Amino acid sequence: MGSFGNADRATSTNGGSAPVVDKEVDFAQYFCTYAFLYHQKEMLSDRVRMDAYFNAVFKNKHHFQGRTVLDVGTGSGILAIWSAKAGARKVYAVEATKMAEHARALVKSNGLQNVVEVIEGSMEDVTLPEKVDVIISEWMGYFLLRESMFDSVICARDRWLKPTGVMYPSHARMWLAPIRSGLVDDKWNDYGGAMDDWHRFLDDTKTSYGVDMSVLTNHFDEEQQRYYLQTSLWKNLHPHQVIGAAAIVKEIDCLTATVADVLNVRANLTSIINSPNTRLCGFGGWFDVHFRGRKEDPAQQEIELTTAPNTENSTHWGQQVFLLHPPIHVSEGDDLDISFAMDRAKENHRLMEVELGCKITMSSGTPMPPFSKKFHIE
Ligand SMILES: C[S@@+](CC[C@H](N)C(=O)[O-])C[C@H]1O[C@@H](n2cnc3c(N)ncnc32)[C@H](O)[C@@H]1O
């Protein structure tokens, strides 16, 4: 995954189904960061991520030995190199950016050029000379689906995976849990500070330059609210900040999922608060993926990659935090009835819009007023 730029939003849509993407715009917005080694290094330094993929490949060599492999979005080439080292006969390593040149150099310097073929191009446009036994890819964005790279994996699978083929990873899940966090106060104060500063600016502009700009106050306020209060945050939460049972929002079988399955995520979830006298400050979202092979050709050792809050094994994905202003006093045994909706942003199909609704019933049986809030994942 990566924190790609989103400055110039010009993606068009075809009436609510999968967006039609202007490739040049997508390249400028999304792929640009992946062309830099510093960014690949960030992912290559994530030990949880690296160990999971390394173990998935080397503890399941039977899936690779003598087989053909496709690495979707090879980046530096690391997964293709491991696949070759695990005994693959041929590895096609597809990468959209110029990073393909570095991958090619890395493959050669590791003496694997006879096995790994690096192909520079979009997965959607590339033609392979044969179908493959394994598709390996690290496609996961923040909260799993940001970046929408799974679409490219689905496209690759439908075109190039043999009917007996295996997906690495094979399964994915999104999780959501109620959390407490001091960030709720920080962001509220930052927003207040920004508005105080705006009012000082208005006075100053009027006094010094004779122009009254107060007509813009509502627009500035909306901008600041969006920035400070309605945009989800990247955070590595401490497990103690999770104050209730985590619930599964979405389960994906990578062998069968379609783009339609991941386009609009809808879920009704329940959770129970398990901390006494605390504040419900929002929700934390994360994901896990599993490497299980396929039913008829299972993994010898199943591997899990989780991005759940963890003090020792945090990942560069962290968690996505959706804050509630103001926070709500809750206590052990309070029931949460949560509705979750996530759609792609209209202006950029790789970003997301989330709507979270919640009804809380206190352990006494008394209901609290329900609420609903919209967020942007940027
Ligand atoms: C999250 S990185 C993973 C890189 C590498 N596989 C690894 O695990 O370190 C995803 C890579 O996929 C590439 N990518 C994303 N979508 C692609 C597509 N449709 N076709 C080709 N490459 C793509 C990106 O440029 C990026 O280098």
Side-chain angles (χ1 to χ4, degrees), residues 174-176 245-251 264-271 283 336-342 355-359 371-372:
M174 293 166 71
W175 292 84
L176 195 76
I248 296 174
V249 174
K250 177 89 183 160
E251 290 192 89
N264 310 103
V265 180
R266 299 281 180 275
N268 287 312
L269 318 166
T270 53
S271 178
F283 295 90
L336 308 187
D337 205 343
I338 305 158
S339 65
F340 178 92
M342 187 166 91
E355 184 159 4
L356 270 167
C358 189
K359 287 183 206 150
F371 61 86
S372 177

Side-chain angles (χ1 to χ4, degrees), residues 358-372:
C358 189
K359 287 183 206 150
I360 305 176
T361 309
M362 288 189 275
S363 56
S364 62
T366 312
M368 292 189 201
F371 61 86
S372 177

Side-chain angles (χ1 to χ4, degrees), residues 1-2 30-31 34-35 39-40 43-44 49-50 53 71-79 94-97 99 121-124 137-140 147 149 152-153 316-317 350:
M1 64 58 54
Y30 172 62
F31 287 110
Y34 281 125
H39 190 57
Q40 298 285 339
M43 297 181 286
L44 296 168
R49 184 191 93 106
M50 293 296 276
Y53 273 86
D71 177 4
V72 180
T74 200
S76 63
I78 187 77
L79 304 181
V94 178
E95 170 57 39
T97 71
M99 187 54 56
S122 284
M123 192 63 244
E124 288 77 356
S137 182
E138 197 279 80
W139 52 266
M140 299 86 74
E147 295 188 33
M149 188 183 155
S152 304
V153 177
H316 74 286
W317 285 285
R350 296 189 184 271

